[in-house]
Amino acid sequence: TLLSSLGLGTTLTFASSHWLLAWMGLEINTLAIIPLMAQHHHPRAVEATTKYFLTQATAAAMILFASTTNAWITGAWDMNNVSNPIASTMIITALALKIGLAPMHFWMPEVLQGLDLLTGLVLSTWQKLAPLALIIQTAQAIDPLLLTTLGLMSTLIGGWGGLNQTQLRKILAYSSIAHMGWMIIVLQYAPQLTLLALLMYIFMTSAAFLTLKTSSATKIGTLATVWSKSPILTTTTALVLLSLGGLPPLTGFMPKWLILQELAKQSLPLIATIMALAALLSLYFYLRLCYAMTLTISPNTITSTTPWRVQTTQASFPLALATVMALGLLPVT
């Protein structure tokens, strides 16, 4: 029931051109993922769920308020013409809060840290779809300066925030914030690149989360012992992480390349330069994970307790598919 409601909420938002229906889809979506997040009854999971619920409820209320304001002034509930600047600014703020764009990103690492890896995967991929669909539909009505600011801040904060982390889920949360920034920065010039970046982000993040689930790793220290259990998986994971960082010839280079090219086409060299430098910040912590996984001395002394090497029950097909997509899609360009 919960998973189908999760799908239904997002689909409802996708299909709607009326603000009330879109809001309803977002609400169904939020209410369906809440029990999935709290299902382990761990105090941390419950705390994360509460934080998530409060931010999402605030964002949904803001969307409802802004669309009502717009309808009150213009008499239309249609999404495509949000002509009132106050309403459009409030809508983009609320949607940014929903997907965790900086400076509304503070809930994201905390919430992701409290969840298990599969729910975390749903939160960082599926839950981004509905708000991003709304952002893409309303992008033309939004102040371009605001969009650019959101995008730049998100890439910078997503790069800086992850530098000091040792918890893998927090690192992935900051990586998610940075990728969302890349999507938003190009939105007003080429929305199709936003969709492309989102698709590639979903492949790479799925590969990363499913790998961590297979090796049940949640800290950098645990990664150092994975190689002896599954050496081939370690190799592919290192490549997936570099792909997330955006190195050619891997998939992750494609959205960054095209987005920088588009920004240069729009004669925004300064913004393109800042984005490229922010990508270096993110690359640093992906490289840290690669280093811990593949380049530490083999009989290394680890400070953490070694986890039991249990046989995993996870299906290997999704991981294989996501890894292949995250490594080999560059020729699509």
Side-chain angles (χ1 to χ4, degrees), residues 111-130:
V111 167
L112 208 58
Q113 182 54 34
L115 306 178
D116 70 312
L117 290 162
L118 286 180
T119 322
L121 171 64
V122 172
L123 181 71
S124 39
T125 55
W126 184 254
Q127 290 300 93
K128 305 275 190 237
L129 294 177

Side-chain angles (χ1 to χ4, degrees), residues 41-276:
H41 301 297
H42 191 284
R44 278 192 192 162
V46 175
E47 184 192 343
T49 311
T50 313
K51 285 176 181 169
Y52 183 74
F53 173 71
L54 290 173
T55 52
Q56 299 298 307
T58 312
M62 270 181 79
I63 290 173
L64 195 57
F65 179 51
S67 52
T68 316
T69 309
N70 186 55
W72 186 38
I73 292 169
T74 62
W77 283 92
D78 197 35
M79 248 181 232
N80 299 321
N81 49 3
V82 187
S83 50
N84 186 26
I86 301 174
S88 65
T89 309
M90 277 179 61
I91 284 168
I92 188 69
T93 312
L95 290 169
L97 177 62
K98 264 203 179 293
I99 60 172
L101 283 169
M104 284 77 84
H105 66 283
F106 292 99
W107 60 272
M108 178 97 187
E110 304 290 327
V111 167
L112 208 58
Q113 182 54 34
L115 306 178
D116 70 312
L117 290 162
L118 286 180
T119 322
L121 171 64
V122 172
L123 181 71
S124 39
T125 55
W126 184 254
Q127 290 300 93
K128 305 275 190 237
L129 294 177
L132 264 167
L134 295 186
I135 289 179
I136 290 172
Q137 283 185 57
T138 52
Q140 300 312 317
I142 300 162
D143 180 22
L145 182 66
L146 181 64
L147 278 178
T148 309
T149 314
L150 283 173
L152 278 177
M153 275 192 75
S154 300
T155 39
L156 284 167
I157 286 175
W160 270 318
L163 292 181
N164 208 16
Q165 302 292 341
T166 54
Q167 300 285 345
L168 296 177
R169 285 166 295 189
K170 279 195 177 173
I171 287 183
L172 282 167
Y174 279 111
S175 131
S176 167
I177 294 167
H179 278 277
M180 291 293 139
W182 278 92
M183 287 170 217
I184 295 300
I185 198 85
V186 78
L187 179 61
Q188 47 196 331
Y189 310 114
Q192 63 274 24
L193 285 187
T194 302
L195 284 174
L196 179 81
L198 175 67
L199 194 64
M200 296 310 138
Y201 161 75
I202 286 178
F203 283 140
M204 296 184 294
T205 309
S206 308
F209 267 107
L210 291 169
T211 308
L212 296 182
K213 182 81 179 76
T214 309
S215 53
S216 59
T218 53
K219 288 197 288 295
I220 291 187
T222 327
L223 283 182
T225 55
V226 174
W227 65 271
S228 55
K229 176 184 168 187
S230 43
I232 298 182
L233 186 66
T234 311
T235 317
T236 56
T237 311
L239 289 172
V240 164
L241 287 166
L242 292 177
S243 181
L244 267 166
L247 290 187
L250 305 165
T251 306
F253 180 55
M254 166 166 47
K256 286 191 167 47
W257 177 21
L258 294 174
I259 287 172
L260 288 176
Q261 185 184 348
E262 182 61 38
L263 288 173
K265 252 188 220 165
Q266 301 286 347
S267 64
L268 299 165
L270 184 64
I271 292 177
T273 312
I274 297 174
M275 296 294 284

